[in-house]
Amino acid sequence: MNRPRPVTVPEMMSRKGGEPLVVVTAADFTMAKLMDGTGSVDALLVGDSLGTVVQGRPTTLAVTLDQMIYHTEMVVRGTQRALVVADLPFGTYHESPELAIRSASRLLKETGCTAIKLEGGHHFAKTIAALVASGIPVMGHVGLMPQSVHAMGGYKVQRDEHKVIDDAVAVAEAGAFSVVLECLPVDLGRKVTEKVKIPTIGIGAGPHCDGQVLVGHDLLGLYDGHRPKFVRAYDDLKERVRDAVKRYSADVRSRAFPSPEESFH
Ligand code: KIV
């Protein structure tokens, strides 16, 4: 069977203003293989949101670079077509552009992913430019930045137009190939999308972005924690999991499982 042609960074960039980009997060081989196998996803993001939906932590702050490498490597192994982007976790790029290059190089070399994402606007333009100059494709992330949850006073809609636009423009001018816009009013999502020359990928930033991203566990209705307003769950897998495990338990207790067909004779 022919391998599907992988989505490239220039291809993602060429979708500015065109058919919306489809991005979803994944954190392991099985999920990546299922999602990528649909042939409908442009990019798989190994987001540090895995700190909450996989590790059960209250924030993303404790996720380490080694953990991101562990998860990204599995996702890459399950992916043939989608562009795989991995988050640089908190504290692995803040100190200096040199540290950012070291951390991002580890992600690319040890996992085979194609690009990294980092949270931050104007203040991180130098870092983004240094990464891009080193041949590392960067996806930016402005608006609500979950790694700055304490500084931002919680997970809130970001309404400071001047700051958000300034951040997105700085990220684009520094050479990022796309930028995530998180938790913006619809009108601000539109304004940023019109202003920057790279594709914007929205999460809670309205319908005018050049693409959308959802956390895979939210999209599938698998995560049982807080569900933000911007999430649309396309299934309720947590209920299906509970139901399957209850039926298995009942079958074991009644000795209906295993059947003769499921046994060696
Ligand atoms: O960590 C993550 O999953 C993300 C997306 C929500 C954009 O950054």
Side-chain angles (χ1 to χ4, degrees):
M1 206 176 71
N2 285 342
R3 282 175 74 90
R5 199 172 53 77
V7 177
T8 64
V9 167
E11 229 171 285
M12 293 270 293
M13 295 181 81
S14 74
R15 296 270 290 277
K16 174 77 189 171
E19 187 187 27
L21 288 159
V22 178
V23 185
V24 62
T25 74
D28 64 46
F29 171 82
T30 299
M31 209 50 98
K33 193 156 184 273
L34 286 172
M35 289 172 165
D36 184 58
T38 64
S40 66
V41 174
D42 296 303
L44 283 176
L45 170 67
V46 189
D48 62 358
S49 58
L50 65 82
T52 50
V53 299
V54 176
Q55 298 178 338
R57 299 178 188 280
T59 73
T60 59
L61 296 180
V63 176
T64 67
L65 185 57
D66 283 336
Q67 289 166 353
M68 288 306 299
I69 288 170
Y70 173 75
H71 286 281
T72 305
E73 201 265 332
M74 291 188 279
V75 168
V76 168
R77 218 167 327 125
T79 305
Q80 294 197 339
R81 178 183 177 275
L83 185 102
V84 179
V85 184
D87 258 340
L88 276 183
F90 182 64
T92 65
Y93 60 96
H94 302 70
E95 221 170 290
S96 64
E98 290 74 20
L99 177 62
I101 292 171
R102 268 200 302 282
S103 301
S105 302
R106 277 199 66 199
L107 267 170
L108 263 66
K109 284 167 80 144
E110 295 178 37
T111 74
C113 74
T114 299
I116 63 95
K117 174 166 84 59
L118 62 81
E119 293 179 12
H122 204 99
H123 189 65
F124 285 92
K126 237 175 91 177
T127 298
I128 294 171
L131 286 162
V132 173
S134 308
I136 300 170
V138 178
M139 179 182 279
H141 184 151
V142 305
L144 172 61
M145 294 177 268
Q147 292 177 9
S148 304
V149 58
H150 300 313
M152 291 182 144
Y155 298 103
K156 296 176 180 165
V157 179
Q158 303 299 302
R159 299 180 186 278
D160 184 340
E161 284 208 4
H162 180 76
K163 177 173 169 24
V164 174
I165 291 175
D166 188 49
D167 277 346
V169 168
V171 164
E173 286 179 353
F177 71 93
S178 59
V179 60
V180 168
L181 308 180
E182 182 160 353
C183 269
L184 305 181
V186 170
D187 206 42
L188 184 50
R190 182 184 54 76
K191 280 185 186 160
V192 175
T193 300
E194 285 171 2
K195 186 93 185 163
V196 297
K197 295 193 169 60
I198 56 174
T200 58
I201 299 166
I203 176 158
H208 304 294
C209 300
D210 298 301
Q212 298 290 331
V213 55
L214 277 179
V215 172
H217 283 66
D218 289 337
L219 180 160
L220 297 170
L222 199 49
Y223 181 60
D224 201 17
H226 171 69
R227 183 165 130 194
K229 172 189 165 84
F230 57 75
V231 167
R232 185 183 295 179
Y234 284 83
D235 208 320
D236 190 7
L237 288 197
K238 59 182 177 308
E239 261 320 301
R240 294 221 223 171
V241 168
R242 286 181 186 126
D243 179 59
V245 172
K246 278 187 201 159
R247 287 189 290 115
Y248 164 67
S249 304
D251 285 353
V252 169
R253 293 205 171 96
S254 67
R255 298 194 185 277
F257 175 82
S259 67
E261 296 74 31
E262 289 156 337
S263 304
F264 296 105
H265 301 285

